[in-house]
Amino acid sequence: MPPLTTDAIKFGAFVVTNQVFHLTPLSYALVNLKPLLPGHVLVSPRRIVPRFNDLSAAEVQDLFLTVQRVSRTIERVFDASALNIAIQDGQDAGQSVPHVHAHIIPRKKHDLPEPDAIYEMMESEDGDLARQLRKRDEGDVKRGRFPAVDADEHRKPRSEEDMNKEAEWLFEEMARTDERE
Ligand code: AMW
């Protein structure tokens, strides 16, 4: 699939143009480098700002309408019965990429040992782990409270090819969702 735009789309410092499967005037949706569960995607404003409060009213409206549209497709194509929709807003809330993004994670019954386990998984994602390590080294976190290194370490980043394929598929499925509306 050719990129949806000739502009380079950035997610924080990363160029993610080929991972983008949906584009609006102010937002975009991209496939995840390290999904926590199959179908875990992200929706971001096109403007790179770290905090939710940095967004204009028009950006908030566009972002949330995009989250709603994308989540409809994700729930359908991953045959889910529920969704986690989450924003980690700021480093101390677990944000690792300083560019606003909403996580959309399709869920089904018994997909994890506990439905809430997803929050711990989100918290211990790479960047957060790096932050925790930094804090530990700065002596900010008591050793005993340092969270166990999670399965994220074993979650390999996906290949460009894998991500492009998924982006192409989701781009086509977005059009199908629109037809049904
Ligand atoms: W955060 O902890 O900032 O709320 O979430 C960052 C998310 O971005 C994670 O789900 C992580 O897997 C994802 N991610 C990090 N780098 C990239 C990238 N280059 N392309 C796509 N997703 C990425």
Side-chain angles (χ1 to χ4, degrees), residues 16-60:
V16 293
T17 321
N18 294 331
Q19 291 162 236
V20 171
F21 64 90
H22 186 70
L23 197 60
T24 73
L26 298 176
S27 313
Y28 66 89
L30 78 158
V31 300
N32 203 317
L33 183 67
K34 287 175 127 192
L36 290 171
L37 287 173
H40 176 188
V41 299
L42 306 168
V43 177
S44 268
R46 290 175 73 160
R47 194 164 64 94
I48 306 176
V49 287
R51 299 294 307 274
F52 186 66
N53 247 305
D54 297 328
L55 300 176
S56 67
E59 284 171 318
V60 170

Side-chain angles (χ1 to χ4, degrees), residues 11 14 16 19 30-35 40 42 88 94-97 101 103 122 125 155 163:
F11 176 47
F14 310 104
V16 293
Q19 291 162 236
L30 78 158
V31 300
N32 203 317
L33 183 67
K34 287 175 127 192
H40 176 188
L42 306 168
Q88 308 208 91
Q95 185 183 24
S96 59
V97 177
H101 52 281
H103 295 254
M122 237 187 288
E125 284 189 288
R155 251 173 42 237
M163 290 194 287

Side-chain angles (χ1 to χ4, degrees), residues 33-164:
L33 183 67
K34 287 175 127 192
L36 290 171
L37 287 173
H40 176 188
V41 299
L42 306 168
V43 177
S44 268
R46 290 175 73 160
R47 194 164 64 94
I48 306 176
V49 287
R51 299 294 307 274
F52 186 66
N53 247 305
D54 297 328
L55 300 176
S56 67
E59 284 171 318
V60 170
Q61 186 180 30
D62 192 273
L63 185 79
F64 271 82
L65 288 174
T66 306
V67 166
Q68 195 179 45
R69 273 178 78 188
V70 170
S71 68
R72 240 178 250 144
T73 298
I74 293 296
E75 182 163 340
R76 175 174 62 78
V77 304
F78 285 92
D79 207 16
S81 52
L83 297 161
N84 287 106
I85 296 177
I87 296 179
Q88 308 208 91
D89 185 30
Q91 216 183 37
D92 293 335
Q95 185 183 24
S96 59
V97 177
H99 181 167
V100 176
H101 52 281
H103 295 254
I104 299 177
I105 309 175
R107 302 295 307 274
K108 3 183 141 174
K109 233 185 208 348
H110 307 310
D111 56 358
L112 293 174
E114 293 293 335
D116 292 6
I118 197 77
Y119 292 108
E120 247 172 70
M121 291 163 75
M122 237 187 288
E123 258 183 37
S124 50
E125 284 189 288
D126 270 344
D128 188 56
L129 198 58
R131 181 175 66 90
Q132 295 281 355
L133 283 163
R134 209 166 50 238
K135 279 196 144 190
R136 184 195 59 175
D137 293 343
E138 287 164 3
D140 216 13
V141 169
K142 289 195 195 96
R143 241 155 238 288
R145 288 179 48 226
F146 183 61
V149 175
D150 82 314
D152 182 75
E153 270 209 325
H154 310 293
R155 251 173 42 237
K156 289 215 181 70
R158 297 195 296 166
S159 69
E160 287 260 324
E161 194 192 348
D162 261 18
M163 290 194 287
N164 293 355

